[in-house]
Amino acid sequence: MQSPSSAPGPIEVLTVPEAMAALRIKRGKFYDLIRSNQLESFTIGRARRVTAESIRAFIRRQIEEND
């Protein structure tokens, strides 16, 4: 059994509008990033979701590419 301090925290999951707002991009660009596998997402039924970690990873890659 894990101790409370080592237990993983909840995974933050964003809706499409929340993810778009976080990245400050429009819907078309958001779906372009998903189609091109630059941004990871998943679906639950018909609802698409993005983890906060996948957004952070995308941003890190963009920063590294632009350095």
Side-chain angles (χ1 to χ4, degrees):
M1 184 171 176
Q2 292 180 336
S3 67
S5 63
S6 66
I11 298 173
E12 186 179 357
V13 177
L14 304 171
T15 64
V16 170
E18 291 169 338
M20 289 168 32
L23 291 170
R24 312 295 196 273
I25 59 176
K26 299 211 183 243
R27 187 174 209 88
K29 181 61 177 176
F30 178 81
Y31 283 105
D32 285 345
L33 293 173
I34 289 172
R35 277 190 290 276
S36 64
N37 294 319
Q38 294 180 62
L39 183 62
E40 292 180 339
S41 70
F42 62 96
T43 56
I44 302 173
R46 291 177 37 182
R48 181 157 306 273
R49 298 291 184 257
V50 178
T51 64
E53 179 52 38
S54 67
I55 291 175
R56 286 191 286 273
F58 170 76
I59 292 169
R60 280 192 299 272
R61 286 191 305 274
Q62 294 304 304
I63 290 170
E64 289 171 4
E65 288 177 9
N66 291 312
D67 278 344

mmCIF file of all heavy atoms in Angstrom, residues 9-60:
data_model
loop_
_atom_site.group_PDB
_atom_site.id
_atom_site.type_symbol
_atom_site.label_atom_id
_atom_site.label_comp_id
_atom_site.label_asym_id
_atom_site.label_seq_id
_atom_site.Cartn_x
_atom_site.Cartn_y
_atom_site.Cartn_z
ATOM 1 N N GLY A 9 -1.335 11.988 -7.629
ATOM 2 C CA GLY A 9 -2.493 12.875 -7.541
ATOM 3 C C GLY A 9 -3.446 12.608 -8.689
ATOM 4 O O GLY A 9 -3.146 11.830 -9.598
ATOM 5 N N PRO A 10 -4.600 13.234 -8.650
ATOM 6 C CA PRO A 10 -5.558 13.052 -9.737
ATOM 7 C C PRO A 10 -5.013 13.632 -11.038
ATOM 8 O O PRO A 10 -4.264 14.608 -11.021
ATOM 9 C CB PRO A 10 -6.788 13.805 -9.260
ATOM 10 C CG PRO A 10 -6.290 14.788 -8.260
ATOM 11 C CD PRO A 10 -5.061 14.165 -7.651
ATOM 12 N N ILE A 11 -5.370 13.022 -12.123
ATOM 13 C CA ILE A 11 -4.952 13.513 -13.434
ATOM 14 C C ILE A 11 -5.917 14.600 -13.853
ATOM 15 O O ILE A 11 -7.130 14.397 -13.852
ATOM 16 C CB ILE A 11 -4.930 12.376 -14.480
ATOM 17 C CG1 ILE A 11 -3.910 11.329 -14.067
ATOM 18 C CG2 ILE A 11 -4.632 12.907 -15.866
ATOM 19 C CD1 ILE A 11 -3.923 10.088 -14.914
ATOM 20 N N GLU A 12 -5.378 15.750 -14.186
ATOM 21 C CA GLU A 12 -6.218 16.862 -14.611
ATOM 22 C C GLU A 12 -6.609 16.668 -16.069
ATOM 23 O O GLU A 12 -5.751 16.533 -16.938
ATOM 24 C CB GLU A 12 -5.478 18.181 -14.440
ATOM 25 C CG GLU A 12 -6.347 19.381 -14.719
ATOM 26 C CD GLU A 12 -5.605 20.692 -14.524
ATOM 27 O OE1 GLU A 12 -4.437 20.678 -14.119
ATOM 28 O OE2 GLU A 12 -6.220 21.727 -14.784
ATOM 29 N N VAL A 13 -7.897 16.625 -16.326
ATOM 30 C CA VAL A 13 -8.425 16.399 -17.666
ATOM 31 C C VAL A 13 -9.198 17.631 -18.103
ATOM 32 O O VAL A 13 -10.006 18.171 -17.333
ATOM 33 C CB VAL A 13 -9.343 15.155 -17.691
ATOM 34 C CG1 VAL A 13 -9.945 14.952 -19.062
ATOM 35 C CG2 VAL A 13 -8.561 13.921 -17.268
ATOM 36 N N LEU A 14 -8.937 18.071 -19.323
ATOM 37 C CA LEU A 14 -9.568 19.283 -19.855
ATOM 38 C C LEU A 14 -10.504 18.952 -21.005
ATOM 39 O O LEU A 14 -10.245 18.040 -21.790
ATOM 40 C CB LEU A 14 -8.495 20.254 -20.358
ATOM 41 C CG LEU A 14 -7.422 20.656 -19.352
ATOM 42 C CD1 LEU A 14 -6.317 21.423 -20.054
ATOM 43 C CD2 LEU A 14 -8.018 21.478 -18.244
ATOM 44 N N THR A 15 -11.558 19.729 -21.117
ATOM 45 C CA THR A 15 -12.441 19.639 -22.277
ATOM 46 C C THR A 15 -11.779 20.358 -23.443
ATOM 47 O O THR A 15 -10.778 21.067 -23.269
ATOM 48 C CB THR A 15 -13.795 20.305 -21.984
ATOM 49 O OG1 THR A 15 -13.567 21.703 -21.762
ATOM 50 C CG2 THR A 15 -14.492 19.678 -20.787
ATOM 51 N N VAL A 16 -12.342 20.211 -24.623
ATOM 52 C CA VAL A 16 -11.789 20.901 -25.797
ATOM 53 C C VAL A 16 -11.764 22.417 -25.582
ATOM 54 O O VAL A 16 -10.715 23.043 -25.779
ATOM 55 C CB VAL A 16 -12.554 20.509 -27.080
ATOM 56 C CG1 VAL A 16 -12.161 21.402 -28.247
ATOM 57 C CG2 VAL A 16 -12.303 19.044 -27.411
ATOM 58 N N PRO A 17 -12.866 23.047 -25.159
ATOM 59 C CA PRO A 17 -12.794 24.503 -24.945
ATOM 60 C C PRO A 17 -11.758 24.914 -23.896
ATOM 61 O O PRO A 17 -11.076 25.933 -24.056
ATOM 62 C CB PRO A 17 -14.217 24.869 -24.487
ATOM 63 C CG PRO A 17 -15.077 23.805 -25.063
ATOM 64 C CD PRO A 17 -14.242 22.556 -25.022
ATOM 65 N N GLU A 18 -11.611 24.119 -22.840
ATOM 66 C CA GLU A 18 -10.609 24.435 -21.817
ATOM 67 C C GLU A 18 -9.196 24.307 -22.371
ATOM 68 O O GLU A 18 -8.333 25.151 -22.098
ATOM 69 C CB GLU A 18 -10.782 23.515 -20.615
ATOM 70 C CG GLU A 18 -12.039 23.775 -19.818
ATOM 71 C CD GLU A 18 -12.352 22.704 -18.799
ATOM 72 O OE1 GLU A 18 -11.868 21.558 -18.945
ATOM 73 O OE2 GLU A 18 -13.104 23.004 -17.862
ATOM 74 N N ALA A 19 -8.940 23.261 -23.148
ATOM 75 C CA ALA A 19 -7.620 23.068 -23.745
ATOM 76 C C ALA A 19 -7.314 24.164 -24.758
ATOM 77 O O ALA A 19 -6.186 24.663 -24.815
ATOM 78 C CB ALA A 19 -7.531 21.696 -24.398
ATOM 79 N N MET A 20 -8.318 24.528 -25.552
ATOM 80 C CA MET A 20 -8.129 25.619 -26.521
ATOM 81 C C MET A 20 -7.787 26.913 -25.795
ATOM 82 O O MET A 20 -6.893 27.656 -26.224
ATOM 83 C CB MET A 20 -9.401 25.805 -27.360
ATOM 84 C CG MET A 20 -9.647 24.698 -28.335
ATOM 85 S SD MET A 20 -11.299 24.710 -29.096
ATOM 86 C CE MET A 20 -11.727 26.408 -29.201
ATOM 87 N N ALA A 21 -8.488 27.189 -24.699
ATOM 88 C CA ALA A 21 -8.223 28.405 -23.921
ATOM 89 C C ALA A 21 -6.826 28.362 -23.310
ATOM 90 O O ALA A 21 -6.123 29.377 -23.294
ATOM 91 C CB ALA A 21 -9.281 28.565 -22.830
ATOM 92 N N ALA A 22 -6.407 27.189 -22.824
ATOM 93 C CA ALA A 22 -5.078 27.059 -22.224
ATOM 94 C C ALA A 22 -3.983 27.362 -23.237
ATOM 95 O O ALA A 22 -2.969 27.970 -22.904
ATOM 96 C CB ALA A 22 -4.901 25.651 -21.654
ATOM 97 N N LEU A 23 -4.192 26.934 -24.473
ATOM 98 C CA LEU A 23 -3.202 27.155 -25.531
ATOM 99 C C LEU A 23 -3.421 28.460 -26.290
ATOM 100 O O LEU A 23 -2.609 28.834 -27.127
ATOM 101 C CB LEU A 23 -3.216 25.979 -26.514
ATOM 102 C CG LEU A 23 -2.685 24.663 -25.966
ATOM 103 C CD1 LEU A 23 -2.983 23.530 -26.932
ATOM 104 C CD2 LEU A 23 -1.185 24.766 -25.702
ATOM 105 N N ARG A 24 -4.561 29.098 -26.034
ATOM 106 C CA ARG A 24 -4.930 30.349 -26.723
ATOM 107 C C ARG A 24 -4.991 30.145 -28.238
ATOM 108 O O ARG A 24 -4.434 30.928 -29.007
ATOM 109 C CB ARG A 24 -3.977 31.493 -26.399
ATOM 110 C CG ARG A 24 -3.640 31.737 -24.945
ATOM 111 C CD ARG A 24 -4.844 32.169 -24.145
ATOM 112 N NE ARG A 24 -4.512 32.765 -22.867
ATOM 113 C CZ ARG A 24 -4.324 32.091 -21.736
ATOM 114 N NH1 ARG A 24 -4.373 30.783 -21.738
ATOM 115 N NH2 ARG A 24 -4.083 32.712 -20.606
ATOM 116 N N ILE A 25 -5.649 29.047 -28.656
ATOM 117 C CA ILE A 25 -5.788 28.754 -30.081
ATOM 118 C C ILE A 25 -7.255 28.514 -30.416
ATOM 119 O O ILE A 25 -8.070 28.256 -29.536
ATOM 120 C CB ILE A 25 -4.950 27.531 -30.514
ATOM 121 C CG1 ILE A 25 -5.353 26.279 -29.727
ATOM 122 C CG2 ILE A 25 -3.460 27.819 -30.375
ATOM 123 C CD1 ILE A 25 -4.639 25.006 -30.159
ATOM 124 N N LYS A 26 -7.560 28.584 -31.694
ATOM 125 C CA LYS A 26 -8.922 28.349 -32.171
ATOM 126 C C LYS A 26 -9.154 26.858 -32.391
ATOM 127 O O LYS A 26 -8.225 26.060 -32.445
ATOM 128 C CB LYS A 26 -9.166 29.125 -33.452
ATOM 129 C CG LYS A 26 -9.015 30.618 -33.242
ATOM 130 C CD LYS A 26 -9.905 31.369 -34.150
ATOM 131 C CE LYS A 26 -9.646 32.842 -33.951
ATOM 132 N NZ LYS A 26 -10.760 33.553 -33.455
ATOM 133 N N ARG A 27 -10.412 26.492 -32.545
ATOM 134 C CA ARG A 27 -10.839 25.102 -32.661
ATOM 135 C C ARG A 27 -10.156 24.381 -33.831
ATOM 136 O O ARG A 27 -9.694 23.248 -33.685
ATOM 137 C CB ARG A 27 -12.360 25.063 -32.827
ATOM 138 C CG ARG A 27 -12.953 23.698 -32.795
ATOM 139 C CD ARG A 27 -14.491 23.806 -32.831
ATOM 140 N NE ARG A 27 -15.084 22.693 -32.159
ATOM 141 C CZ ARG A 27 -15.366 22.610 -30.870
ATOM 142 N NH1 ARG A 27 -15.113 23.634 -30.089
ATOM 143 N NH2 ARG A 27 -15.898 21.540 -30.347
ATOM 144 N N GLY A 28 -10.073 25.008 -34.989
ATOM 145 C CA GLY A 28 -9.453 24.374 -36.154
ATOM 146 C C GLY A 28 -7.998 24.015 -35.904
ATOM 147 O O GLY A 28 -7.551 22.911 -36.238
ATOM 148 N N LYS A 29 -7.250 24.930 -35.314
ATOM 149 C CA LYS A 29 -5.840 24.679 -35.001
ATOM 150 C C LYS A 29 -5.712 23.565 -33.971
ATOM 151 O O LYS A 29 -4.832 22.702 -34.067
ATOM 152 C CB LYS A 29 -5.163 25.958 -34.493
ATOM 153 C CG LYS A 29 -3.696 25.785 -34.169
ATOM 154 C CD LYS A 29 -2.903 25.376 -35.392
ATOM 155 C CE LYS A 29 -1.431 25.273 -35.086
ATOM 156 N NZ LYS A 29 -0.667 24.793 -36.237
ATOM 157 N N PHE A 30 -6.616 23.551 -32.987
ATOM 158 C CA PHE A 30 -6.611 22.509 -31.971
ATOM 159 C C PHE A 30 -6.741 21.128 -32.604
ATOM 160 O O PHE A 30 -5.954 20.225 -32.333
ATOM 161 C CB PHE A 30 -7.754 22.753 -30.974
ATOM 162 C CG PHE A 30 -7.865 21.711 -29.916
ATOM 163 C CD1 PHE A 30 -7.041 21.738 -28.806
ATOM 164 C CD2 PHE A 30 -8.795 20.698 -30.021
ATOM 165 C CE1 PHE A 30 -7.142 20.773 -27.821
ATOM 166 C CE2 PHE A 30 -8.913 19.726 -29.041
ATOM 167 C CZ PHE A 30 -8.078 19.774 -27.944
ATOM 168 N N TYR A 31 -7.716 20.968 -33.481
ATOM 169 C CA TYR A 31 -7.918 19.668 -34.119
ATOM 170 C C TYR A 31 -6.801 19.346 -35.114
ATOM 171 O O TYR A 31 -6.468 18.174 -35.309
ATOM 172 C CB TYR A 31 -9.306 19.579 -34.756
ATOM 173 C CG TYR A 31 -10.368 19.337 -33.710
ATOM 174 C CD1 TYR A 31 -11.216 20.345 -33.297
ATOM 175 C CD2 TYR A 31 -10.481 18.093 -33.095
ATOM 176 C CE1 TYR A 31 -12.171 20.119 -32.316
ATOM 177 C CE2 TYR A 31 -11.423 17.860 -32.106
ATOM 178 C CZ TYR A 31 -12.263 18.870 -31.722
ATOM 179 O OH TYR A 31 -13.194 18.639 -30.745
ATOM 180 N N ASP A 32 -6.178 20.360 -35.714
ATOM 181 C CA ASP A 32 -4.996 20.120 -36.564
ATOM 182 C C ASP A 32 -3.871 19.506 -35.734
ATOM 183 O O ASP A 32 -3.188 18.582 -36.188
ATOM 184 C CB ASP A 32 -4.491 21.419 -37.198
ATOM 185 C CG ASP A 32 -5.353 21.911 -38.334
ATOM 186 O OD1 ASP A 32 -6.195 21.133 -38.844
ATOM 187 O OD2 ASP A 32 -5.194 23.094 -38.715
ATOM 188 N N LEU A 33 -3.664 20.016 -34.528
ATOM 189 C CA LEU A 33 -2.612 19.483 -33.651
ATOM 190 C C LEU A 33 -2.902 18.036 -33.264
ATOM 191 O O LEU A 33 -1.989 17.218 -33.199
ATOM 192 C CB LEU A 33 -2.479 20.347 -32.388
ATOM 193 C CG LEU A 33 -1.951 21.762 -32.596
ATOM 194 C CD1 LEU A 33 -2.034 22.544 -31.290
ATOM 195 C CD2 LEU A 33 -0.547 21.751 -33.147
ATOM 196 N N ILE A 34 -4.157 17.708 -33.038
ATOM 197 C CA ILE A 34 -4.525 16.331 -32.702
ATOM 198 C C ILE A 34 -4.317 15.418 -33.908
ATOM 199 O O ILE A 34 -3.734 14.345 -33.792
ATOM 200 C CB ILE A 34 -5.975 16.267 -32.191
ATOM 201 C CG1 ILE A 34 -6.038 16.916 -30.810
ATOM 202 C CG2 ILE A 34 -6.484 14.826 -32.138
ATOM 203 C CD1 ILE A 34 -7.433 17.093 -30.271
ATOM 204 N N ARG A 35 -4.794 15.852 -35.083
ATOM 205 C CA ARG A 35 -4.654 15.026 -36.297
ATOM 206 C C ARG A 35 -3.193 14.762 -36.651
ATOM 207 O O ARG A 35 -2.845 13.695 -37.140
ATOM 208 C CB ARG A 35 -5.346 15.697 -37.485
ATOM 209 C CG ARG A 35 -6.829 15.431 -37.550
ATOM 210 C CD ARG A 35 -7.405 15.900 -38.867
ATOM 211 N NE ARG A 35 -7.419 17.342 -38.990
ATOM 212 C CZ ARG A 35 -8.363 18.142 -38.511
ATOM 213 N NH1 ARG A 35 -9.388 17.651 -37.875
ATOM 214 N NH2 ARG A 35 -8.281 19.440 -38.674
ATOM 215 N N SER A 36 -2.329 15.745 -36.383
ATOM 216 C CA SER A 36 -0.912 15.597 -36.707
ATOM 217 C C SER A 36 -0.118 14.942 -35.569
ATOM 218 O O SER A 36 1.107 14.910 -35.621
ATOM 219 C CB SER A 36 -0.315 16.959 -37.053
ATOM 220 O OG SER A 36 -0.353 17.816 -35.933
ATOM 221 N N ASN A 37 -0.821 14.436 -34.557
ATOM 222 C CA ASN A 37 -0.202 13.763 -33.401
ATOM 223 C C ASN A 37 0.762 14.647 -32.625
ATOM 224 O O ASN A 37 1.667 14.154 -31.958
ATOM 225 C CB ASN A 37 0.493 12.466 -33.818
ATOM 226 C CG ASN A 37 -0.492 11.442 -34.301
ATOM 227 O OD1 ASN A 37 -1.554 11.279 -33.728
ATOM 228 N ND2 ASN A 37 -0.146 10.773 -35.388
ATOM 229 N N GLN A 38 0.578 15.951 -32.702
ATOM 230 C CA GLN A 38 1.399 16.862 -31.910
ATOM 231 C C GLN A 38 0.829 17.052 -30.513
ATOM 232 O O GLN A 38 1.543 17.437 -29.594
ATOM 233 C CB GLN A 38 1.508 18.219 -32.598
ATOM 234 C CG GLN A 38 2.257 18.162 -33.915
ATOM 235 C CD GLN A 38 2.333 19.523 -34.533
ATOM 236 O OE1 GLN A 38 2.917 20.437 -33.943
ATOM 237 N NE2 GLN A 38 1.735 19.688 -35.703
ATOM 238 N N LEU A 39 -0.480 16.770 -30.372
ATOM 239 C CA LEU A 39 -1.153 16.902 -29.087
ATOM 240 C C LEU A 39 -1.951 15.637 -28.837
ATOM 241 O O LEU A 39 -2.775 15.240 -29.660
ATOM 242 C CB LEU A 39 -2.087 18.121 -29.107
ATOM 243 C CG LEU A 39 -2.827 18.457 -27.817
ATOM 244 C CD1 LEU A 39 -1.838 18.793 -26.698
ATOM 245 C CD2 LEU A 39 -3.762 19.629 -28.044
ATOM 246 N N GLU A 40 -1.670 14.983 -27.710
ATOM 247 C CA GLU A 40 -2.363 13.741 -27.380
ATOM 248 C C GLU A 40 -3.738 14.042 -26.800
ATOM 249 O O GLU A 40 -3.902 14.992 -26.032
ATOM 250 C CB GLU A 40 -1.567 12.949 -26.350
ATOM 251 C CG GLU A 40 -0.269 12.414 -26.872
ATOM 252 C CD GLU A 40 0.466 11.629 -25.807
ATOM 253 O OE1 GLU A 40 0.191 11.810 -24.606
ATOM 254 O OE2 GLU A 40 1.327 10.829 -26.185
ATOM 255 N N SER A 41 -4.714 13.224 -27.197
ATOM 256 C CA SER A 41 -6.060 13.359 -26.651
ATOM 257 C C SER A 41 -6.694 11.972 -26.598
ATOM 258 O O SER A 41 -6.133 11.008 -27.101
ATOM 259 C CB SER A 41 -6.903 14.295 -27.513
ATOM 260 O OG SER A 41 -7.192 13.696 -28.759
ATOM 261 N N PHE A 42 -7.842 11.906 -25.978
ATOM 262 C CA PHE A 42 -8.588 10.654 -25.938
ATOM 263 C C PHE A 42 -10.063 10.988 -25.931
ATOM 264 O O PHE A 42 -10.449 12.145 -25.720
ATOM 265 C CB PHE A 42 -8.190 9.809 -24.718
ATOM 266 C CG PHE A 42 -8.473 10.476 -23.399
ATOM 267 C CD1 PHE A 42 -9.638 10.192 -22.706
ATOM 268 C CD2 PHE A 42 -7.582 11.376 -22.851
ATOM 269 C CE1 PHE A 42 -9.902 10.796 -21.491
ATOM 270 C CE2 PHE A 42 -7.839 11.982 -21.636
ATOM 271 C CZ PHE A 42 -8.997 11.691 -20.957
ATOM 272 N N THR A 43 -10.884 9.987 -26.202
ATOM 273 C CA THR A 43 -12.320 10.210 -26.184
ATOM 274 C C THR A 43 -12.979 9.315 -25.139
ATOM 275 O O THR A 43 -12.509 8.219 -24.841
ATOM 276 C CB THR A 43 -12.964 9.927 -27.558
ATOM 277 O OG1 THR A 43 -12.654 8.600 -27.951
ATOM 278 C CG2 THR A 43 -12.474 10.892 -28.610
ATOM 279 N N ILE A 44 -14.038 9.825 -24.597
ATOM 280 C CA ILE A 44 -14.924 9.076 -23.712
ATOM 281 C C ILE A 44 -16.295 9.194 -24.375
ATOM 282 O O ILE A 44 -16.888 10.277 -24.372
ATOM 283 C CB ILE A 44 -14.950 9.653 -22.290
ATOM 284 C CG1 ILE A 44 -13.556 9.671 -21.683
ATOM 285 C CG2 ILE A 44 -15.937 8.887 -21.428
ATOM 286 C CD1 ILE A 44 -13.458 10.372 -20.352
ATOM 287 N N GLY A 45 -16.728 8.117 -24.983
ATOM 288 C CA GLY A 45 -17.940 8.209 -25.783
ATOM 289 C C GLY A 45 -17.668 9.133 -26.962
ATOM 290 O O GLY A 45 -16.744 8.908 -27.731
ATOM 291 N N ARG A 46 -18.423 10.201 -27.066
ATOM 292 C CA ARG A 46 -18.198 11.181 -28.131
ATOM 293 C C ARG A 46 -17.432 12.403 -27.652
ATOM 294 O O ARG A 46 -17.153 13.314 -28.436
ATOM 295 C CB ARG A 46 -19.546 11.619 -28.702
ATOM 296 C CG ARG A 46 -20.219 10.518 -29.472
ATOM 297 C CD ARG A 46 -21.574 10.906 -29.990
ATOM 298 N NE ARG A 46 -21.636 12.293 -30.429
ATOM 299 C CZ ARG A 46 -22.724 12.882 -30.883
ATOM 300 N NH1 ARG A 46 -23.847 12.218 -30.969
ATOM 301 N NH2 ARG A 46 -22.704 14.144 -31.245
ATOM 302 N N ALA A 47 -17.094 12.444 -26.370
ATOM 303 C CA ALA A 47 -16.428 13.611 -25.788
ATOM 304 C C ALA A 47 -14.911 13.465 -25.866
ATOM 305 O O ALA A 47 -14.345 12.496 -25.383
ATOM 306 C CB ALA A 47 -16.861 13.780 -24.341
ATOM 307 N N ARG A 48 -14.250 14.430 -26.477
ATOM 308 C CA ARG A 48 -12.791 14.432 -26.561
ATOM 309 C C ARG A 48 -12.230 15.141 -25.338
ATOM 310 O O ARG A 48 -12.755 16.158 -24.894
ATOM 311 C CB ARG A 48 -12.324 15.151 -27.823
ATOM 312 C CG ARG A 48 -10.810 15.141 -27.940
ATOM 313 C CD ARG A 48 -10.311 15.323 -29.330
ATOM 314 N NE ARG A 48 -10.836 14.409 -30.305
ATOM 315 C CZ ARG A 48 -10.333 13.205 -30.595
ATOM 316 N NH1 ARG A 48 -9.290 12.754 -29.932
ATOM 317 N NH2 ARG A 48 -10.854 12.477 -31.542
ATOM 318 N N ARG A 49 -11.156 14.587 -24.797
ATOM 319 C CA ARG A 49 -10.502 15.153 -23.624
ATOM 320 C C ARG A 49 -8.997 15.201 -23.833
ATOM 321 O O ARG A 49 -8.439 14.415 -24.595
ATOM 322 C CB ARG A 49 -10.796 14.328 -22.368
ATOM 323 C CG ARG A 49 -12.269 14.291 -22.002
ATOM 324 C CD ARG A 49 -12.734 15.650 -21.515
ATOM 325 N NE ARG A 49 -14.116 15.610 -21.084
ATOM 326 C CZ ARG A 49 -15.139 16.083 -21.805
ATOM 327 N NH1 ARG A 49 -14.918 16.612 -22.985
ATOM 328 N NH2 ARG A 49 -16.363 16.033 -21.331
ATOM 329 N N VAL A 50 -8.349 16.120 -23.130
ATOM 330 C CA VAL A 50 -6.897 16.304 -23.192
ATOM 331 C C VAL A 50 -6.400 16.416 -21.757
ATOM 332 O O VAL A 50 -7.006 17.117 -20.946
ATOM 333 C CB VAL A 50 -6.536 17.591 -23.971
ATOM 334 C CG1 VAL A 50 -5.044 17.815 -24.001
ATOM 335 C CG2 VAL A 50 -7.099 17.551 -25.372
ATOM 336 N N THR A 51 -5.315 15.740 -21.437
ATOM 337 C CA THR A 51 -4.764 15.888 -20.086
ATOM 338 C C THR A 51 -3.909 17.157 -20.028
ATOM 339 O O THR A 51 -3.329 17.587 -21.042
ATOM 340 C CB THR A 51 -3.896 14.682 -19.680
ATOM 341 O OG1 THR A 51 -2.760 14.610 -20.540
ATOM 342 C CG2 THR A 51 -4.694 13.383 -19.729
ATOM 343 N N ALA A 52 -3.838 17.709 -18.847
ATOM 344 C CA ALA A 52 -2.997 18.889 -18.652
ATOM 345 C C ALA A 52 -1.545 18.538 -18.948
ATOM 346 O O ALA A 52 -0.795 19.361 -19.499
ATOM 347 C CB ALA A 52 -3.160 19.414 -17.236
ATOM 348 N N GLU A 53 -1.140 17.317 -18.634
ATOM 349 C CA GLU A 53 0.245 16.891 -18.913
ATOM 350 C C GLU A 53 0.529 16.865 -20.411
ATOM 351 O O GLU A 53 1.618 17.215 -20.846
ATOM 352 C CB GLU A 53 0.539 15.538 -18.281
ATOM 353 C CG GLU A 53 1.943 15.031 -18.553
ATOM 354 C CD GLU A 53 3.046 16.032 -18.214
ATOM 355 O OE1 GLU A 53 2.929 16.751 -17.204
ATOM 356 O OE2 GLU A 53 4.034 16.097 -18.971
ATOM 357 N N SER A 54 -0.440 16.462 -21.237
ATOM 358 C CA SER A 54 -0.195 16.442 -22.689
ATOM 359 C C SER A 54 -0.047 17.862 -23.220
ATOM 360 O O SER A 54 0.739 18.097 -24.139
ATOM 361 C CB SER A 54 -1.288 15.672 -23.436
ATOM 362 O OG SER A 54 -2.521 16.330 -23.370
ATOM 363 N N ILE A 55 -0.747 18.816 -22.626
ATOM 364 C CA ILE A 55 -0.578 20.220 -23.023
ATOM 365 C C ILE A 55 0.795 20.716 -22.607
ATOM 366 O O ILE A 55 1.505 21.358 -23.383
ATOM 367 C CB ILE A 55 -1.695 21.100 -22.437
ATOM 368 C CG1 ILE A 55 -3.017 20.757 -23.124
ATOM 369 C CG2 ILE A 55 -1.371 22.581 -22.593
ATOM 370 C CD1 ILE A 55 -4.213 21.463 -22.577
ATOM 371 N N ARG A 56 1.213 20.382 -21.372
ATOM 372 C CA ARG A 56 2.558 20.792 -20.914
ATOM 373 C C ARG A 56 3.639 20.172 -21.798
ATOM 374 O O ARG A 56 4.622 20.841 -22.149
ATOM 375 C CB ARG A 56 2.760 20.404 -19.451
ATOM 376 C CG ARG A 56 1.995 21.289 -18.488
ATOM 377 C CD ARG A 56 2.416 21.049 -17.046
ATOM 378 N NE ARG A 56 1.906 19.805 -16.517
ATOM 379 C CZ ARG A 56 0.716 19.651 -15.947
ATOM 380 N NH1 ARG A 56 -0.093 20.677 -15.819
ATOM 381 N NH2 ARG A 56 0.341 18.475 -15.485
ATOM 382 N N ALA A 57 3.482 18.899 -22.175
ATOM 383 C CA ALA A 57 4.469 18.234 -23.032
ATOM 384 C C ALA A 57 4.529 18.906 -24.402
ATOM 385 O O ALA A 57 5.619 19.104 -24.949
ATOM 386 C CB ALA A 57 4.126 16.753 -23.182
ATOM 387 N N PHE A 58 3.380 19.259 -24.947
ATOM 388 C CA PHE A 58 3.340 19.958 -26.234
ATOM 389 C C PHE A 58 4.088 21.289 -26.137
ATOM 390 O O PHE A 58 4.900 21.617 -27.004
ATOM 391 C CB PHE A 58 1.885 20.196 -26.667
ATOM 392 C CG PHE A 58 1.754 21.108 -27.841
ATOM 393 C CD1 PHE A 58 2.046 20.660 -29.116
ATOM 394 C CD2 PHE A 58 1.357 22.425 -27.672
ATOM 395 C CE1 PHE A 58 1.940 21.513 -30.214
ATOM 396 C CE2 PHE A 58 1.245 23.276 -28.751
ATOM 397 C CZ PHE A 58 1.542 22.814 -30.035
ATOM 398 N N ILE A 59 3.827 22.035 -25.074
ATOM 399 C CA ILE A 59 4.494 23.333 -24.897
ATOM 400 C C ILE A 59 6.000 23.147 -24.753
ATOM 401 O O ILE A 59 6.785 23.882 -25.363
ATOM 402 C CB ILE A 59 3.901 24.084 -23.690
ATOM 403 C CG1 ILE A 59 2.453 24.484 -24.007
ATOM 404 C CG2 ILE A 59 4.742 25.308 -23.329
ATOM 405 C CD1 ILE A 59 1.670 24.989 -22.806
ATOM 406 N N ARG A 60 6.424 22.150 -23.963
ATOM 407 C CA ARG A 60 7.873 21.896 -23.812
ATOM 408 C C ARG A 60 8.516 21.601 -25.162
ATOM 409 O O ARG A 60 9.606 22.113 -25.469
ATOM 410 C CB ARG A 60 8.115 20.731 -22.853
ATOM 411 C CG ARG A 60 8.019 21.081 -21.392
ATOM 412 C CD ARG A 60 8.557 19.972 -20.489
ATOM 413 N NE ARG A 60 7.830 18.726 -20.633
ATOM 414 C CZ ARG A 60 6.737 18.393 -19.946
ATOM 415 N NH1 ARG A 60 6.228 19.238 -19.074
ATOM 416 N NH2 ARG A 60 6.147 17.233 -20.126
#
